[in-house]
Amino acid sequence: MPSALDQLAQATAPAPLTDALCLSQFLETMPDPRGLRGRRYLLSALLAAAAASVLAGARSLTAITEWVTDAPSWACRALGFPVDRLTGSVSVPHPHTLRRLLVQLDGDTPDRAIGAFLAARATPAEPGLRAIAVDGKALRGSRTATATHVTLLAAMDHSGSVLAQCQIADRSNEIPAFQPLLDNIDLTGSVITADALHTQHTHGTYLRARGAHYTAQVKANHPGLFDRVRRLPWQEITLDHYERTRAHHRKEIRRLKTASFAHIDYPDARQALQAVRWRKDLTSGKLTIERVHLITSLPPGAVSGTQLAAWIRGHWKIENLLHHVRDRTFHEDDSKIHIGRLPRVMAGLRNLAIGIHRQDGHTNIAAALRHAARDCHRPLTALGLAG
């Protein structure tokens, strides 16, 4: 008579909900980099298993393969691993099988599938413009003796879901990757926020042609534009937004002024902005004042000063909600993975896990990973593989 554990292992998998969004549907559109000979496991099944393991807190290739090896039979069936017709047993891939596949992936197709899945899974946006932040991150642990570290450029909506990601070419910077990054995103009705590096005329023209607005930071890399915006009579312009907060042992005052501009040397620029932040550390008593100048294609009166201030401040959510979490929770910079496109593939899986947990209402990603790790149903349900 089989033991209780054996009975549990042989239990049938929970059936996916008929109307649930399933990650496998998006992974099945990817081209398989493997040869036809000896291909036993579906590409979508292997990638879904890797995604589920990262959703449960796996931080490395070893942790991913261990999670797949230890998964119960019903979970392996739900993932799409083959079942022997005679014995009913499920075939589980060898760890090297999964490793070889992840190394062979090109990086572009997984990121597109992940971005499309997160976008389709997201709660329908409220009426109005959608804010998307663009920023880069260096994977410091990917450095080798002959190559510099891998740098990735990501586009994330201000709620915390990564919509697209691409790798910066060697010996290049983020500027040439800006347009390819956004090519696969529907930008209609969006506002793109980025740092001063991306305040480029070609970027502004591209965004307006795609039906998107922008808020572009202006610094000394555009001396003429910066000097013209900075020298506006800001002292005579009335406030559009004022905010005073106290948290994390500091006081902050944020002020925003806007000025319509008839002729700005930037594509479709309609307003100039000045954001000023006073910050006082209550422990040391140190006071810092920061002034930032921006331009935007939004016409005067299109949105309130409060909304503009929220977008300016919200741009840095890509650091706090994404990059910081990948570093501190997933220990990304400590990872020594550097083979091929594998650093980017692992970053994409982390983006997927962070995005899903945030969409499900979790604000503490470390706690969400521990919650998912305690029950195999949870990561599979989140991916639409089980009900």
Side-chain angles (χ1 to χ4, degrees), residues 296-356:
T296 179
S297 59
L298 291 163
V303 296
S304 66
T306 301
Q307 182 64 80
L308 285 170
W311 285 335
I312 295 169
R313 186 177 183 180
H315 170 70
W316 300 111
K317 287 182 178 179
I318 195 170
E319 291 286 349
N320 299 328
L321 300 183
L322 182 66
H323 298 164
H324 180 76
V325 174
R326 278 171 30 192
D327 279 342
R328 297 299 297 273
T329 302
F330 285 100
H331 297 179
E332 185 169 77
D333 278 352
D334 294 334
S335 173
K336 302 304 180 184
I337 295 173
H338 57 267
I339 301 174
R341 300 286 179 174
L342 195 50
R344 175 181 175 182
V345 172
M346 292 295 295
L349 293 174
R350 295 173 188 129
N351 292 341
L352 174 64
I354 294 169
I356 286 178

Side-chain angles (χ1 to χ4, degrees), residues 27 40 197 216 220 283 380:
L27 299 178
R40 185 177 185 184
L197 178 66
T283 303
L380 295 181

Side-chain angles (χ1 to χ4, degrees), residues 124-135:
E126 297 179 359
L129 296 170
R130 175 181 64 163
I132 299 174
V134 175
D135 194 32

Side-chain angles (χ1 to χ4, degrees), residues 21 55 117 121 356-357 360 377-386:
L21 199 65
L55 227 68
F117 175 70
R121 192 179 186 274
I356 286 178
H357 286 315
D360 288 347
H377 282 90
R378 292 167 181 168
L380 295 181
T381 301
L383 296 174
L385 300 170

Side-chain angles (χ1 to χ4, degrees), residues 254-332:
R254 297 174 180 271
R255 301 172 49 165
L256 178 71
K257 294 182 177 182
T258 64
S260 58
F261 220 118
H263 302 288
I264 305 180
D265 184 21
Y266 200 82
D268 282 353
R270 300 293 300 276
Q271 294 184 88
L273 317 175
Q274 185 193 64
V276 183
R277 183 182 68 183
W278 284 264
R279 173 184 289 180
K280 183 176 182 180
D281 190 301
L282 299 178
T283 303
S284 64
K286 181 180 179 181
L287 176 67
T288 57
I289 301 176
E290 180 185 12
R291 287 182 176 83
V292 178
H293 295 91
L294 309 97
I295 52 177
T296 179
S297 59
L298 291 163
V303 296
S304 66
T306 301
Q307 182 64 80
L308 285 170
W311 285 335
I312 295 169
R313 186 177 183 180
H315 170 70
W316 300 111
K317 287 182 178 179
I318 195 170
E319 291 286 349
N320 299 328
L321 300 183
L322 182 66
H323 298 164
H324 180 76
V325 174
R326 278 171 30 192
D327 279 342
R328 297 299 297 273
T329 302
F330 285 100
H331 297 179
E332 185 169 77

Side-chain angles (χ1 to χ4, degrees), residues 11-308:
T12 58
L17 300 177
T18 56
D19 58 348
L21 199 65
C22 182
L23 176 65
S24 296
Q25 298 171 355
F26 294 82
L27 299 178
E28 288 168 357
T29 64
M30 294 173 48
D32 197 323
R34 301 170 297 173
L36 293 175
R37 184 178 180 182
R39 187 190 299 179
R40 185 177 185 184
Y41 300 95
L42 294 174
L43 171 71
S44 59
L46 293 172
L47 288 183
S53 66
V54 175
L55 227 68
R59 298 174 180 172
S60 63
L61 277 177
T62 300
I64 290 174
T65 56
E66 288 175 349
W67 188 92
V68 175
T69 301
D70 293 340
S73 295
W74 68 261
C76 294
R77 291 189 185 95
L79 289 167
F81 294 148
V83 180
D84 189 287
R85 295 182 179 180
L86 296 178
T87 65
S89 61
V90 185
S91 176
V92 179
H94 191 277
H96 291 311
T97 301
L98 186 55
R99 288 172 182 264
R100 284 195 297 268
L101 172 65
L102 295 178
V103 169
Q104 288 178 303
L105 293 175
D106 64 0
D108 288 330
T109 49
D111 278 332
R112 282 197 292 267
I114 288 170
F117 175 70
L118 288 175
R121 192 179 186 274
T123 303
E126 297 179 359
L129 296 170
R130 175 181 64 163
I132 299 174
V134 175
D135 194 32
K137 181 184 185 298
L139 309 184
R140 304 193 183 282
S142 62
R143 185 190 303 270
T144 67
T146 58
T148 59
H149 53 67
V150 172
T151 302
L152 302 176
L153 187 67
M156 184 196 83
D157 65 28
H158 283 202
S159 64
S161 295
V162 176
L163 304 176
Q165 179 177 261
C166 69
Q167 185 167 331
I168 307 300
D170 294 339
R171 299 184 180 180
S172 183
N173 57 33
E174 298 177 14
I175 296 175
F178 183 85
Q179 294 184 24
L181 172 74
L182 298 176
D183 279 342
N184 295 314
I185 304 176
D186 181 9
L187 299 182
T188 306
S190 299
V191 175
I192 308 301
T193 63
D195 57 26
L197 178 66
H198 294 292
T199 305
Q200 307 288 332
H201 283 66
T202 54
H203 292 358
T205 302
Y206 169 79
L207 292 175
R208 296 302 295 135
R210 293 286 311 278
H213 288 282
Y214 59 80
T215 59
Q217 191 172 349
V218 181
K219 286 188 175 179
N221 58 330
H222 288 280
L225 180 61
F226 177 63
D227 190 62
R228 190 173 185 191
V229 173
R230 182 172 60 90
R231 292 182 180 276
L232 286 174
W234 292 111
Q235 292 182 350
E236 303 173 13
I237 298 173
T238 59
L239 277 175
D240 278 300
H241 174 74
Y242 178 90
E243 180 183 11
R244 186 180 185 127
T245 60
R246 177 171 177 164
H248 305 293
H249 304 286
R250 62 176 181 256
K251 289 182 178 178
E252 288 187 358
I253 297 176
R254 297 174 180 271
R255 301 172 49 165
L256 178 71
K257 294 182 177 182
T258 64
S260 58
F261 220 118
H263 302 288
I264 305 180
D265 184 21
Y266 200 82
D268 282 353
R270 300 293 300 276
Q271 294 184 88
L273 317 175
Q274 185 193 64
V276 183
R277 183 182 68 183
W278 284 264
R279 173 184 289 180
K280 183 176 182 180
D281 190 301
L282 299 178
T283 303
S284 64
K286 181 180 179 181
L287 176 67
T288 57
I289 301 176
E290 180 185 12
R291 287 182 176 83
V292 178
H293 295 91
L294 309 97
I295 52 177
T296 179
S297 59
L298 291 163
V303 296
S304 66
T306 301
Q307 182 64 80
L308 285 170

